[in-house]
Amino acid sequence: MRSTGGSGGLCPAAAGDAVALVELMQQLKEQSGLTYRQLEQRAAERGEVLARSTLADVLRRRTLPRAELLAVFLRACGCAEDEVAAWLAARQGIEERAAAGAGESAGGAAVRDAARRSPYRSRRVLLSGAAVLVALLLAVGIPLMTGDAAAPPEAAAKASLPTGEVRIRPLRTPGLCLTDGRVLRERRYRTVAMQRPCAEAVPPQTHLTAAGAGRHRIQWTHRDHGKGCLVLLRESGLEGLLEPWDDCRAGGPAQLFRVEPAGGRTGAGGTAYRLRLSGEGAERCVTLGGDEPGATALARPCTGKDDQKFLIGPG
């Protein structure tokens, strides 16, 4: 049921940082019952601009939104001016505390704070520039493997993965791309792998990076949050989800995948692939939880069905 408007009991003053404020914005949008398009239209009716693509990007981040955008968003959700003022005051307080904290030494507290604000979960400082360059130069272009054994020569000959930046598109919904998005799990928002319209899926940019022995990492590069590689989650309530962590080093937690031809060819003459987990859990493949935008990617037992098949092409 659509909300009658206003903040719906949400208390922006309780938001201690940018992450909490953005999560309250997400809750407000959900309570309003309005789509991104409807919010854009409501803003336009007031002579204001609220591009739905910009708003969607803001709600996916964990950084402080611009004050002007926040105010337009709140009014589009039906908030009164006194409510808008309260939200803006909360935002200003967060900004001032962050500015004060910037004067601290660049020690452990600052590093932990920066990591907490990033949607790419931190486990280690990112690869150095030289290491990243080496990883990209080694990307893909090696014989494909099936499970832990080499693929038949004819399969390898027919299927050659693109190098560099790629798009990974579900076979059943080729207008969507595998990318990151936020979901509410265990009472907090997590950034995980999901499918979204390809036009809204960049950033981040997607790379398949070679990990040796026919295995690859799925690496995302975001202009604001750096690089992250997908890691399989195993905690209760999160099991099977894939979350980007900023530790892409060899021997780190990043999940390794075997990119296998899935049999047959698509109507467009391309090759369909499955993304099989390597190592522990090698009987599982990346599976889409539905055909609609926002459906999450999950590690599920390999079945050979179309919900586990992907088209991989240049980005």
Side-chain angles (χ1 to χ4, degrees), residues 76-308:
C77 287
C79 292
E81 287 304 317
D82 59 335
E83 293 177 301
V84 173
W87 281 76
L88 291 177
R91 181 203 173 280
Q92 181 67 23
I94 293 169
E95 187 173 47
E96 290 174 354
R97 288 192 295 275
E104 297 177 356
S105 63
V111 172
R112 286 192 299 272
D113 187 60
R116 183 168 56 84
R117 280 167 169 74
S118 172
Y120 289 0
R121 186 170 173 181
S122 179
R123 279 290 187 243
R124 176 184 169 90
V125 176
L126 290 174
L127 291 172
S128 68
V132 170
L133 178 60
V134 171
L136 292 178
L137 290 175
L138 293 174
V140 218
I142 59 178
L144 294 171
M145 308 287 282
T146 302
D148 288 333
E154 62 272 19
K158 290 181 180 179
S160 59
L161 288 171
T163 58
E165 184 181 346
V166 299
R167 280 188 173 187
I168 302 177
R169 297 179 294 134
L171 178 65
R172 297 196 307 195
T173 52
L176 303 179
C177 283
L178 188 67
T179 185
D180 69 357
R182 301 186 73 197
V183 296
L184 183 62
R185 293 289 189 277
E186 299 297 296
R187 294 181 294 181
R188 62 175 289 234
Y189 282 91
R190 307 290 291 253
T191 298
V192 299
M194 66 169 55
Q195 62 181 7
R196 294 194 283 115
C198 291
E200 302 174 8
V202 177
Q205 281 79 26
T206 300
H207 288 79
L208 284 176
T209 63
R215 301 167 300 171
H216 295 78
R217 299 179 185 90
I218 297 178
Q219 176 182 294
W220 287 334
T221 304
H222 197 288
R223 63 187 175 218
D224 294 325
H225 308 302
K227 294 180 175 65
C229 287
L230 289 185
V231 172
L232 177 65
L233 300 182
R234 304 177 187 277
E235 302 100 304
S236 175
L238 303 171
E239 199 278 331
L241 290 170
L242 295 158
E243 182 177 53
W245 290 7
D246 67 4
D247 188 348
C248 293
R249 63 193 168 93
Q255 178 62 50
L256 301 182
F257 300 89
R258 296 194 180 277
V259 186
E260 307 172 343
R265 300 180 73 81
T266 70
T271 301
Y273 298 91
R274 61 173 166 256
L275 304 172
R276 181 189 293 272
L277 277 62
S278 179
E280 182 182 355
E283 75 287 352
R284 289 187 286 176
C285 292
V286 176
T287 309
L288 271 308
D291 291 336
E292 70 284 354
T296 56
L298 301 162
R300 292 289 182 261
C302 299
T303 63
K305 295 182 179 179
D306 285 351
D307 60 353
Q308 297 181 345

Side-chain angles (χ1 to χ4, degrees), residues 50-83:
L50 184 65
R52 56 184 179 272
S53 58
T54 301
L55 178 59
D57 195 32
V58 166
L59 295 184
R60 284 195 297 270
R61 299 182 186 181
R62 294 192 174 187
T63 53
L64 203 61
R66 291 183 295 107
E68 297 83 357
L69 184 143
L70 175 60
V72 174
F73 166 73
L74 294 168
R75 285 191 284 266
C77 287
C79 292
E81 287 304 317
D82 59 335
E83 293 177 301

